[in-house]
Amino acid sequence: MKNSFKVFNIIFKDRFYTVALNALFQYVLYTLFLLFLVFFYNVNDYLVKVGSKVTFYAFFKKDIANENIVKLKKIIENWPEVKSVKIIKPEEGIAILKRSLGKESGILNTLDTNPLPVTLQINIKPAFTEKFYINQISDRLKKFEMIEWYDTTEKYIGNIISVRKNMTNIFIGGIALFLFIIFLALRIMSRGFINKYAQSIQLLKMLGASRAFIVIPFIVEGFIESFITSLLSTATSVYVVSYLQSELTELGFTILSLPLEVYLLFMLLVSAIGGISNIPGKKLL
Amino acid sequence: MIRFENLSYSYPNKTGGLRDINLTIEKGSFVCIYAPSAEFKTTLLNLIYGEVLPSSGKLYVLDYTFPEDRKKISRLRKKIGYAFHPFCFFDDLTVRKNLIVNLLIKQTERHLKHIESIVDETIQSLTKLNPLELVKNLSYSEKQILNIVRALIGDPLVLLLDDPFKHLDKEEIEKWMKLFVEKSRSGITVVATVSNPAIPQLYGIKAFFMKKGRLLEEDEK
């Protein structure tokens, strides 16, 4: 097979500009793709964090004995959906309220007595944040007579949880579509370039070159070209993310970089796409 | 050995073709086929080279049978030297590079330096061509010589020569004919098509005449 590379270098030696143009095109495509990936990764991370923090607040009736409160806490702690349970005493509750109101907390000073009851803060495990489990927990809480009423953050973030699910589907579809577009674009572009060499390929066949003899150097060239451009795109994307990280941290935002294995998988995948899309069309072979 | 067995070939969108060809060419023999133009002489060589496949009948070339072995054509071609008509060259490459490419395809030899030395030696011993001249700048007769040299280089088992003496002067024809006879004596099977019937007669070579797609022996003409 070494001979096929030698022949390739002799016959197709004037490919520098076409290869460079193709590489530039790939660089732009891959960089856009990676930035799209970073954007979604961060949106998804935000939604996961928010969506996984479902908390119930169960407010006790007045004058419930402390030992009964502790007993109920232990029962709820044993529920499979529950991550942790905390008792919030009225004075703690008012302190929390003051903190959350900030400058406007002065209004609470006008109160003669603390109106807040003893409260149970029930944190739900991230795996049980869907509507079905939330309803189950709600039904169970309703049965306890010592609980006056309860509230859950799920009703505020329920939409986020369902959006996140749809987002994941849209994202997977988006990646597949993007990769397919990359493949098609590269195929059309590479074939356009390769068709210029139709006569040379026909002549190689006439002289006895097999299909593999002709095709393998094209595949290797496409693979290397895509690997190098994907490496450059990865470097660009990492640079853009680190730049945004330094700029946005001052504004209170955090931006995450993609995990290393995502970059490696991306490079491997697009290199393979580059190699395959560089195969001359069937008509030429 | 090459054997045509009741072989016919017809062009998809054309009238005419080869009809009922039965011919055996033994290893090391030299056979000439002559006919005026448009009598499918090239088609006969293209069949041996696997460029076209028989419409019916069988063709045996070395260890291959056609049409069955159609997927092994590139392997067969490595064993055949073919002087094409019309010429098929990489016009933007030099004489030397055209021959190097041919050898790289046909041989498993991996050392480029060795291949280059074979090419340089061949050009020097057989021709007066400038190895560094681009093929597009060569005259017709120079191209014909390069065509023949390319077919000869790489020790083929079969030599197919399609009108190899076109554009060549008498002296050149004599030189190459002597070489082809030598090659056939050394065991290479040579099949040549010619437009001039005097050439096989002059060198005492077995000749066949093609008429309306049929192959006739000299006395059937």
Side-chain angles (χ1 to χ4, degrees):
Chain A
M1 244 343 122
K2 265 190 175 179
N3 282 4
S4 68
F5 290 95
K6 287 171 193 158
V7 169
F8 185 82
N9 286 334
I10 294 172
I11 309 285
F12 308 111
K13 62 182 187 313
D14 56 340
R15 284 169 58 75
F16 177 77
Y17 289 108
T18 53
V19 168
L21 192 65
N22 202 350
L24 185 70
F25 175 68
Q26 287 186 43
Y27 171 74
V28 173
L29 262 183
Y30 296 161
T31 308
L32 283 175
F33 176 71
L34 281 176
L35 292 177
F36 161 76
L37 218 59
V38 169
F39 171 74
F40 179 81
Y41 183 69
N42 279 276
V43 170
N44 192 52
D45 180 72
Y46 170 76
L47 293 178
V48 167
K49 277 181 189 158
V50 174
S52 62
K53 281 181 187 168
V54 172
T55 305
F56 274 85
Y57 290 97
F59 303 98
F60 283 92
K61 286 177 180 169
K62 287 269 178 195
D63 306 323
I64 300 289
N66 200 39
E67 59 185 302
N68 288 338
I69 291 171
V70 173
K71 215 186 265 177
L72 186 60
K73 178 181 177 263
K74 280 184 180 164
I75 291 169
I76 293 173
E77 270 173 344
N78 288 327
W79 290 356
E81 301 92 345
V82 172
K83 188 176 159 192
S84 61
V85 182
K86 189 187 169 194
I87 298 170
I88 301 173
K89 289 177 183 163
E91 53 275 21
E92 280 179 79
I94 205 86
I96 293 168
L97 201 57
K98 276 184 180 174
R99 269 204 307 275
S100 65
L101 285 173
K103 286 177 185 170
E104 288 161 17
S105 64
I107 195 165
L108 296 174
N109 297 334
T110 57
L111 295 170
D112 295 333
T113 53
N114 184 352
L116 293 177
V118 177
T119 310
L120 279 186
Q121 187 190 49
I122 307 162
N123 297 315
I124 304 301
K125 288 176 186 167
F128 297 97
T129 53
E130 284 181 37
K131 197 87 187 163
F132 171 76
Y133 300 109
I134 300 304
N135 287 343
Q136 271 189 345
I137 297 164
S138 302
D139 289 343
R140 269 183 255 152
L141 283 174
K142 271 179 207 166
K143 287 176 189 162
F144 296 113
E145 281 185 6
M146 58 180 126
I147 290 175
E148 177 84 53
W149 65 287
Y150 65 88
D151 203 359
T152 169
T153 56
E154 192 275 338
K155 66 184 178 194
Y156 306 110
I157 62 169
N159 289 340
I160 290 176
I161 294 168
S162 65
V163 164
R164 186 169 67 85
K165 265 183 114 181
N166 290 333
M167 278 282 281
T168 307
N169 292 336
I170 291 167
F171 176 63
I172 292 168
I175 285 183
L177 188 70
F178 211 113
L179 287 175
F180 184 65
I181 290 169
I182 287 176
F183 174 72
L184 269 188
L186 290 187
R187 187 116 186 93
I188 292 165
M189 199 157 174
S190 302
R191 282 198 175 179
F193 291 142
I194 292 166
N195 282 344
K196 274 175 37 187
Y197 303 103
Q199 214 183 337
S200 301
I201 291 172
Q202 287 307 314
L203 189 45
L204 287 174
K205 275 175 68 189
M206 282 291 277
L207 294 174
S210 64
R211 192 183 145 88
F213 189 97
I214 298 168
V215 160
I216 286 173
F218 278 103
I219 294 177
V220 172
E221 184 198 62
F223 186 92
I224 294 171
E225 188 186 330
S226 292
F227 180 77
I228 293 169
T229 47
S230 66
L231 205 67
L232 289 173
S233 297
T234 300
T236 308
S237 132
V238 169
Y239 174 77
V240 169
V241 169
S242 67
Y243 175 77
L244 288 176
Q245 270 170 342
S246 64
E247 290 294 312
L248 294 177
T249 310
E250 289 170 19
L251 299 171
F253 290 103
T254 51
I255 188 161
L256 298 170
S257 182
L258 291 172
L260 180 67
E261 50 274 26
V262 172
Y263 281 120
L264 291 176
L265 186 71
F266 160 77
M267 284 193 277
L268 199 70
L269 208 63
V270 296
S271 301
I273 289 176
I276 294 166
S277 61
N278 214 31
I279 298 174
K282 267 190 178 175
K283 279 182 188 172
L284 295 183
L285 299 166
Chain B
M1 200 257 297
I2 299 165
R3 194 165 90 236
F4 291 79
E5 223 175 68
N6 302 320
L7 186 144
S8 294
Y9 176 79
S10 48
Y11 285 94
N13 300 315
K14 249 173 153 182
T15 51
L18 297 172
R19 285 189 294 156
D20 208 22
I21 307 283
N22 284 290
L23 173 69
T24 302
I25 305 168
E26 295 296 342
K27 181 176 183 276
S29 54
F30 189 168
V31 169
C32 265
I33 293 151
Y34 73 93
S37 60
E39 276 293 348
F40 310 107
K41 297 186 301 257
T42 303
T43 308
L44 196 82
L45 297 187
N46 281 344
L47 278 159
I48 299 172
Y49 198 59
E51 185 58 20
V52 289
L53 293 167
S55 305
S56 66
K58 295 253 185 233
L59 172 62
Y60 304 90
V61 186
L62 301 171
D63 302 326
Y64 303 91
T65 308
F66 294 106
E68 286 85 346
D69 290 336
R70 68 186 72 196
K71 287 188 176 167
K72 297 174 185 167
I73 285 168
S74 61
R75 273 186 247 172
L76 169 73
R77 287 182 181 176
K78 287 185 172 49
K79 298 170 184 173
I80 298 178
Y82 193 172
F84 301 100
H85 179 74
F87 310 127
C88 296
F89 291 117
F90 297 103
D91 288 331
D92 293 324
L93 296 184
T94 61
V95 167
R96 189 171 183 261
K97 286 211 167 147
N98 264 278
L99 295 177
I100 288 172
V101 166
N102 184 54
L103 265 190
L104 284 169
I105 292 170
K106 294 221 152 100
Q107 294 205 336
T108 48
E109 172 65 59
R110 287 183 178 186
H111 297 288
L112 193 58
K113 288 237 160 114
H114 182 60
I115 284 175
E116 283 171 346
S117 71
I118 296 172
V119 167
D120 292 338
E121 221 171 87
T122 311
I123 295 172
Q124 210 174 9
S125 63
L126 294 179
T127 75
K128 289 172 188 164
L129 296 174
N130 174 6
L132 301 178
E133 187 65 78
L134 292 178
V135 168
K136 64 182 173 193
N137 297 335
L138 297 180
S139 67
Y140 275 113
S141 59
E142 285 173 325
K143 280 184 183 172
Q144 184 64 281
I145 289 166
L146 179 61
N147 198 22
I148 295 169
V149 171
R150 189 175 59 181
L152 283 167
I153 206 165
D155 303 323
L157 299 176
V158 176
L159 201 52
L160 302 177
L161 307 161
D162 195 2
D163 230 342
F165 307 120
K166 211 173 181 179
H167 312 299
L168 296 187
D169 59 30
K170 214 175 160 186
E171 231 172 78
E172 284 282 356
I173 293 173
E174 202 175 317
K175 172 188 152 189
W176 291 112
M177 267 313 269
K178 275 185 186 169
L179 187 71
F180 297 149
V181 171
E182 244 174 63
K183 290 281 175 192
S184 79
R185 281 185 190 146
S186 70
I188 296 174
T189 310
V190 184
V191 185
T193 65
V194 286
S195 316
N196 181 1
I199 293 174
Q201 270 176 4
L202 196 66
Y203 292 89
I205 291 159
K206 188 166 175 67
F208 293 89
F209 181 71
M210 280 202 83
K211 195 176 180 184
K212 291 182 180 169
R214 286 184 185 277
L215 201 62
L216 307 169
E217 290 221 28
E218 193 74 21
D219 47 2
E220 295 174 296
K221 198 168 71 163

